[in-house]
Amino acid sequence: MRKKIVAGNWKMNHDLSETESFLGDFKKQLFPEDVSIMIAPSFTHLFHAFQSLKEHPVQVVAQNMHEEDSGAYTGEVSGKMLKSVGVSTVILGHSERRTIFGESHEVLKKKVDAALKNEMNVIFCVGESLEDRKNTNQEEVVKKQLEASIFHLDSSLMEHIIIAYEPIWAIGTGETATPEQAQEMHRFIRNTIREKYSDAIADSIQILYGGSVKPDNAKTIFSQEDVDGGLIGGASLKVESFMQIVNAASHKKE
Ligand code: PEP
């Protein structure tokens, strides 16, 4: 059975004192054992968060990285650097990186390779725009994103990949995909992976949903057959709402 994951993507939120206050409160929580919990603070707080959460079952994740290990890339942070501060998973291909910072399929492919070379896991984000959905192009768009940046990987590396389906029209908008829309796309992604790789890989890969997941809709979305948890933006910034979502992913709590 695939273990559920709930990952909080803080984006460019929480300064040091806000991060400390979150972590102080967060560490006191009772974490369900059947959910993998991850938080992705900004680069500046990764080391601090890693140190602070060392004794707790929470992974500290990066929101992005550069594809080279070192060099003249002012302002960038490499996978090698992330690894050295205790980060073992990185989010790549978030729609904000694709649209605001112009990250192409080719760049993302290089970033995926660099993350794997540095023995990190990747949460690879895919998702269509509102226009794509209106034109019923969502499956084509998502398939292309997978083919262009992930499907060059050898099957032995696929265990390090987690997919996050994040329809752009649902991110930070308060508009969520219906559980049926999420399930339909997750099933499509799993079957696309099945066609390219194998039943074993398709059945074990974890596919997260992201896009305005909140405490009141998390349980219904997470209960869909092919939804293995969530990538959470806004609602991950407060301990209370994040923990409600974490608990919604657990089979042990109502
Ligand atoms: C995200 O940015 O990955 C996200 C899903 O954001 P939100 O939950 O705020 O829609």
Side-chain angles (χ1 to χ4, degrees):
M1 205 174 106
R2 296 182 298 268
K3 190 170 182 180
K4 290 268 198 286
I5 298 174
V6 175
N9 172 17
W10 287 5
K11 312 191 187 193
M12 199 174 70
N13 293 296
H14 283 346
D15 63 17
L16 182 59
S17 72
E18 290 160 338
T19 300
E20 279 176 341
S21 142
F22 180 103
L23 293 172
D25 190 8
F26 193 48
K27 287 195 291 191
K28 294 183 201 141
Q29 307 298 312
L30 206 59
F31 299 113
E33 283 172 14
D34 62 340
V35 181
S36 298
I37 305 163
M38 306 181 184
I39 58 162
S42 59
F43 285 137
T44 46
H45 310 319
L46 285 171
F47 184 60
H48 185 73
F50 178 73
Q51 292 291 331
S52 171
L53 292 168
K54 241 181 186 165
E55 310 297 326
H56 301 268
V58 178
Q59 263 192 64
V60 177
V61 169
Q63 299 175 20
N64 180 35
M65 58 173 263
H66 193 267
E67 61 270 30
E68 298 294 336
D69 276 349
S70 60
Y73 301 100
T74 303
E76 292 292 323
V77 172
S78 73
K80 186 165 176 271
M81 291 168 175
L82 294 174
K83 197 75 209 294
S84 74
V85 296
V87 172
S88 54
T89 301
V90 59
I91 300 170
L92 293 175
H94 191 283
S95 61
E96 287 151 19
R97 298 297 319 171
R98 292 178 191 263
T99 56
I100 306 171
F101 300 99
E103 292 190 3
S104 64
H105 297 313
E106 291 70 32
V107 165
L108 290 171
K109 181 179 176 185
K110 286 185 189 161
K111 290 189 179 201
V112 167
D113 288 341
L116 296 174
K117 190 188 82 179
N118 282 291
E119 298 177 335
M120 293 166 73
N121 296 323
V122 173
I123 299 177
F124 187 75
C125 303
V126 296
E128 80 285 358
S129 67
L130 185 58
E131 200 187 345
D132 296 327
R133 180 144 294 253
K134 279 187 180 154
N135 295 329
T136 58
N137 279 340
Q138 64 271 19
E139 292 188 347
E140 206 178 300
V141 167
V142 166
K143 189 172 184 189
K144 173 75 190 161
Q145 291 168 337
L146 292 169
E147 283 174 348
S149 310
I150 292 288
F151 279 6
H152 64 290
L153 296 175
D154 187 82
S155 55
S156 62
L157 293 170
M158 287 301 283
E159 66 179 288
H160 301 293
I161 305 291
I162 296 160
I163 305 291
Y165 168 56
E166 300 207 303
I168 299 173
W169 47 272
I171 296 180
T173 58
E175 192 170 337
T176 324
T178 63
E180 294 74 26
Q181 283 172 323
Q183 168 55 24
E184 199 179 2
M185 181 57 90
H186 282 230
R187 174 59 60 91
F188 172 76
I189 292 171
R190 202 175 296 290
N191 284 339
T192 304
I193 291 169
R194 193 180 306 284
E195 276 167 31
K196 166 70 187 169
Y197 291 99
S198 64
D199 284 342
I201 291 174
D203 292 336
S204 60
I205 197 162
Q206 290 152 302
I207 308 176
L208 314 183
Y209 170 79
S212 299
V213 176
K214 306 285 178 220
D216 60 356
N217 60 22
K219 189 124 204 144
T220 338
I221 295 173
F222 296 165
S223 66
Q224 299 301 304
E225 195 183 334
D226 287 288
V227 176
D228 304 313
L231 182 55
I232 319 299
S236 71
L237 293 171
K238 292 209 162 74
V239 172
E240 192 185 358
S241 48
F242 188 53
M243 280 310 298
Q244 283 171 346
I245 296 172
V246 167
N247 286 324
S250 171
H251 294 299
K252 293 184 185 139
K253 295 217 177 178
E254 275 314 301

